[in-house]
Amino acid sequence: MADKNPQSTTDPAAGATPSPEPLTPEEAIQQLRALMARVPFPQAPPAHRPFRRRLSHVDPKFVDAAINAIGASSEAQAALGASDAQLRTEVEFVARWSALTDEMTAALRTLLAANDIRRQRLGLTSLQAYRICEQLARDEANEKLISFVREMKRMKKFGRARRRRPETPPEETAKK
């Protein structure tokens, strides 16, 4: 059951150019690692981790007001080691990288959904194979399937096992 590439057909309006071959998972991993090696990773601010998490959620209007204040004071710029122009560039940079993170999140959701569909197809095929082999094993000509059917029957589980609740002694239930 190979994946079918919906883009592999030729589009008559676009000419006779087929779309590129789909990536293998290994090729995709290699390209993703190469891409991630080129992504600049900034140095974290000198604060403990829980506080840094809160720092990323400062109101953008507050950030703009702070940048305006820095722009109005050369002393503030000297104390912070950054100008208002540098900080405005950083704000723009954050917005551009946010667009990438949104795309990557969407890509991750798409990959998870595609893999879930692959698991569903594989599960359906396996269950169909079990039922077919179960029927075929009834015939003497296919007695070699009996051991396979027994093994599949032993292993066949749908979903996950439910946890048993610990039974409460009768005297505890009566006290409540």
Side-chain angles (χ1 to χ4, degrees), residues 1-4 6 25 106-122:
M1 290 201 128
D3 286 337
K4 294 177 184 168
L108 176 61
R109 286 187 183 128
T110 301
L111 290 170
L112 290 171
N115 224 25
D116 194 36
I117 290 169
R118 288 181 189 102
R119 281 190 196 95
Q120 292 168 5
R121 287 186 351 210
L122 192 55

Side-chain angles (χ1 to χ4, degrees), residues 7-152:
Q7 299 172 342
S8 64
T9 58
T10 57
D11 185 8
T17 9
S19 47
E21 279 293 312
L23 284 174
T24 66
E26 294 79 15
E27 290 171 329
I29 290 169
Q30 184 181 22
Q31 289 185 13
L32 181 60
R33 286 180 179 160
L35 174 68
M36 292 306 296
R38 295 184 54 210
V39 172
F41 198 82
Q43 184 176 354
H48 62 286
R49 187 177 291 245
F51 185 63
R52 274 190 278 157
R53 176 180 232 92
R54 291 182 11 209
L55 290 174
S56 64
H57 297 289
V58 172
D59 187 340
K61 291 179 183 176
F62 182 85
V63 171
D64 285 340
I67 292 172
N68 291 338
I70 292 166
S73 170
S74 57
E75 291 85 6
Q77 290 180 31
L80 293 168
S83 70
D84 60 327
Q86 290 171 317
L87 293 172
R88 288 186 204 289
T89 302
E90 186 72 18
V91 167
E92 181 188 330
F93 206 57
V94 167
R96 290 171 46 214
W97 281 102
S98 291
L100 175 65
T101 59
D102 292 346
E103 285 293 326
M104 294 290 275
T105 301
L108 176 61
R109 286 187 183 128
T110 301
L111 290 170
L112 290 171
N115 224 25
D116 194 36
I117 290 169
R118 288 181 189 102
R119 281 190 196 95
Q120 292 168 5
R121 287 186 351 210
L122 192 55
L124 177 61
T125 302
S126 299
L127 291 171
Q128 289 171 332
Y130 170 68
R131 290 295 184 198
I132 290 168
C133 289
E134 192 177 43
Q135 295 296 319
L136 289 173
R138 291 180 180 178
D139 186 1
E140 269 185 32
N142 298 314
E143 72 179 80
K144 62 184 175 217
L145 291 175
I146 293 174
S147 62
F148 293 102
V149 170
R150 282 188 188 137
E151 182 66 10
M152 286 188 285

